[in-house]
Amino acid sequence: MTELVTRTAVPTGTAPTRLVAALRAALPGKVVAPDDAIWDLARRGWVLNVDQRPAAVVTTDTAAEVAAAVRTATAHGYPVTAQPVGHGATTALTGSVVLRTRGLGGIEIDTAARTARVGAGVKWGELLAALEPTGLAAPAGSNPDPTVVGYTLGGGLSWFGRAWGLAAHAVTAFDVVDHDGRPLRVDATTDPERFWAMKGGGGDFGIVTAMEMRLFPAPELFGGRLMWPIEMARPVLQAFREVTAQAPEELTLWAQLFRFPPDPAMPEAIRGRSFVCVDLTFLGSETEANHHLTRLRQLPAMVLDTLAPVPLGRLGGIAAEPTDPMPGQEWSGMLGRLDASTVDRLVDTVGAGADVPLAVVQIRHLGGALTRGTSEDGPNGAIHEPYQVFALGVPVSPEVSAGIEAAFGTLRATLAPELTGRTFFNFLGQDSDPAAAYPAGSLVRLRQVKADLDPAGAFRSHRPVLA
Ligand SMILES: Cc1cc2nc3c(=O)[nH]c(=O)nc-3n(C[C@H](O)[C@H](O)[C@H](O)COP(=O)(O)OP(=O)(O)OC[C@H]3O[C@@H](n4cnc5c(N)ncnc54)[C@H](O)[C@@H]3O)c2cc1C
């Protein structure tokens, strides 16, 4: 093993103009550079307030184009990063060559073997639609817009994590372009340390061109949203706590507090109003699901009940999250417990009476199969925390941004007795330390894998393990 380093060695690059000229020669018509009129659009991520300043942006639609871009960038001393959509936009990719890999398509489903092979540009909404007629499903998250690969490299905390574990732990192989531009087949046999690191360690270990994963039988899916005015937050969250404490692994509930702006573009029913919701999925029939939901459905003042059988292709609609780029500022953490006093403090801090600039405060129920991951499955190993908290504000001005940060601080203080210090990788805030995502042993191993396999820092994750 090479000596463990503590920070990615950023190579000293040649002048950007020479890099750009070489990229344009290797990939004509595919390169956008700072002097191009569309530069500001090209460098933008999905999270609009993050000011990404790469050295160049290259559209790579085939593995051969990825290889050409990697070879050219590394020859000129520039790190490379893939950013198909930009949900994980961060300033960590400053000075790197960003590959837009959305064009790496292709979905192959083997129903007999219960496996899927997806190109690195495939979005979750596309895979779920393709799986819908098969009766098989994959561990998708709340939103149809992230790529399957980007989400899974970050671990992948799914609606179905309680039943099937992390998405990353279902991966059987990656097709990768390495720092020399060579195609690699990365699986448990061919390249075990890289494979382990990529199952939750992010984009630091090569550019993925395709991924293969196990599928799970899901003949029936039930779910939707229950919603009340935010004044009902206390009884709803107490009921959420009681129902989740008894929930089978097939049932997943997420509680959310929403504050909608008085934006004329919003539907009148929600414009300028605030709500408490319970969103849920159940891997089974409506009859079985209802057995667990009586406590919630009996609560008064409900304004919306969309619970119904859900075609898999519409899974992404349950949480009704935005899919278009927007500004966002987020914070998250894992909770060691959620008891009656936690709920009371949370409602006092962000409930109806509180004036906080947080568009969303979400509590996800974890547990189940997530607790049974092992350190050999990937860097996340087991997640023992039974709940995750996530908060999002929309920073429309520096003043609002400061208010959001202050609200995160208040939330952190409120939940201090329950916060364990761990944050799931895919929910790290823009400035969070990736070290918070992993058990200590995993972090040491991840950094060693990075030092061994990419000592020159050819690849730059949006949340580098050596940060
Ligand atoms: C509205 C919303 C809802 C979300 N819900 C969930 C959820 O339920 N569960 C969950 O786990 N996460 C969730 N996320 C987080 C999301 O999974 C991460 O932001 C993820 O990184 C998005 O991947 P992407 O490819 O779409 O984004 P991008 O920002 O384009 O990519 C993210 C990073 O992944 C790496 N990467 C992507 N493609 C490649 C590749 N081909 N090769 C190498 N590295 C690559 C790179 O480091 C890149 O910077 C959500 C995000 C949003 C915005």
Side-chain angles (χ1 to χ4, degrees):
M1 287 196 173
T2 56
E3 191 189 346
L4 181 63
V5 292
T6 54
R7 184 167 286 275
T8 304
V10 180
T12 311
T14 56
T17 46
R18 286 166 66 186
L19 165 76
V20 170
L23 285 169
R24 286 195 168 128
L27 293 149
K30 298 269 183 165
V31 180
V32 184
D35 55 1
D36 283 314
I38 58 164
W39 175 242
D40 281 340
L41 189 63
R43 70 186 175 90
R44 200 178 85 169
W46 191 89
V47 188
L48 296 178
N49 50 309
V50 178
D51 186 18
Q52 304 192 123
R53 295 192 172 271
V57 176
V58 185
T59 301
T60 48
D61 296 329
T62 64
E65 289 180 351
V66 170
V70 169
R71 273 195 298 268
T72 308
T74 52
H76 287 77
Y78 284 80
V80 183
T81 190
Q83 189 180 71
V85 187
H87 284 293
T90 67
T91 52
L93 46 74
T94 296
S96 63
V97 173
V98 169
L99 307 188
R100 296 290 185 207
T101 46
R102 250 302 266 158
L104 288 162
I107 299 175
E108 294 166 33
I109 297 166
D110 184 334
T111 51
R114 291 185 180 166
T115 57
R117 177 181 169 83
V118 292
V122 171
K123 292 188 176 189
W124 267 111
E126 295 161 350
L127 177 58
L128 292 174
L131 285 170
E132 189 177 302
T134 69
L136 298 170
S142 57
N143 194 295
D145 202 52
T147 64
V148 180
V149 165
Y151 159 100
T152 304
L153 288 170
L157 191 55
S158 167
W159 269 119
F160 312 123
R162 289 171 40 72
W164 303 334
L166 291 178
H169 297 179
V171 176
T172 53
F174 295 99
D175 285 357
V176 170
V177 170
D178 80 355
H179 58 282
D180 287 326
R182 289 175 307 196
L184 296 181
R185 170 86 176 170
V186 176
D187 63 28
T189 312
T190 58
D191 202 345
E193 281 302 283
R194 194 191 306 259
F195 185 55
W196 174 86
M198 292 177 72
K199 291 193 295 175
D204 250 332
F205 306 95
I207 304 298
V208 178
T209 54
M211 187 182 89
E212 293 168 18
M213 69 195 308
R214 286 184 290 121
L215 301 173
F216 300 82
E220 286 185 285
L221 178 62
F222 178 80
R225 166 168 290 175
L226 304 173
M227 187 159 103
W228 299 260
I230 198 168
E231 288 72 18
M232 285 293 291
R234 202 174 304 270
V236 169
L237 291 185
Q238 293 295 6
F240 166 81
R241 188 178 62 77
E242 290 164 26
V243 174
T244 51
Q246 304 291 328
E249 294 183 358
E250 294 77 17
L251 177 63
T252 298
L253 292 92
W254 299 343
Q256 321 219 47
L257 300 182
F258 288 121
R259 290 178 155 79
F260 294 107
D263 180 345
M266 289 252 158
E268 199 181 336
I270 59 170
R271 189 186 309 149
R273 299 180 61 194
S274 302
F275 298 92
V276 56
C277 298
V278 175
D279 295 347
L280 66 97
T281 60
F282 181 70
L283 287 161
S285 71
E286 177 165 3
T287 314
E288 289 170 87
N290 282 334
H291 177 69
H292 303 284
L293 301 174
T294 317
R295 170 88 176 84
L296 280 161
R297 276 181 139 166
Q298 281 176 344
L299 289 171
M302 193 189 293
V303 292
L304 185 74
D305 178 343
T306 68
L307 299 191
V310 182
L312 190 64
R314 303 229 186 107
L315 178 75
I318 291 181
E321 293 173 343
T323 52
D324 289 332
M326 58 174 279
Q329 201 168 318
E330 57 188 63
W331 169 80
S332 177
M334 290 194 198
L335 304 175
R337 62 178 195 280
L338 184 76
D339 54 30
S341 118
T342 324
V343 167
D344 279 339
R345 278 180 279 120
L346 187 64
V347 173
D348 290 344
T349 307
V350 294
D355 182 17
V356 283
L358 299 180
V360 181
V361 176
Q362 179 192 67
I363 309 277
R364 286 190 181 197
H365 186 210
L366 307 177
L370 294 168
T371 66
R372 298 194 290 274
T374 73
S375 57
E376 282 315 301
D377 287 330
N380 279 287
I383 295 176
H384 293 294
E385 288 86 344
Y387 296 92
Q388 171 182 273
V389 60
F390 165 82
L392 172 89
V394 182
V396 289
S397 70
E399 294 72 33
V400 174
S401 174
I404 293 168
E405 211 47 56
F408 290 162
T410 308
L411 204 46
R412 258 195 301 270
T414 300
L415 296 173
E418 289 84 6
L419 286 167
T420 63
R422 189 168 181 186
T423 303
F424 192 67
F425 184 90
N426 275 349
F427 290 88
L428 289 164
Q430 270 119 38
D431 302 320
S432 318
D433 181 359
Y438 306 109
S442 286
L443 190 63
V444 171
R445 185 169 166 189
L446 269 177
R447 289 176 167 172
Q448 188 67 62
V449 176
K450 179 71 176 172
D452 287 345
L453 298 180
D454 185 21
F459 297 111
R460 174 88 58 81
S461 167
H462 64 313
R463 297 197 172 104
V465 295
L466 298 182

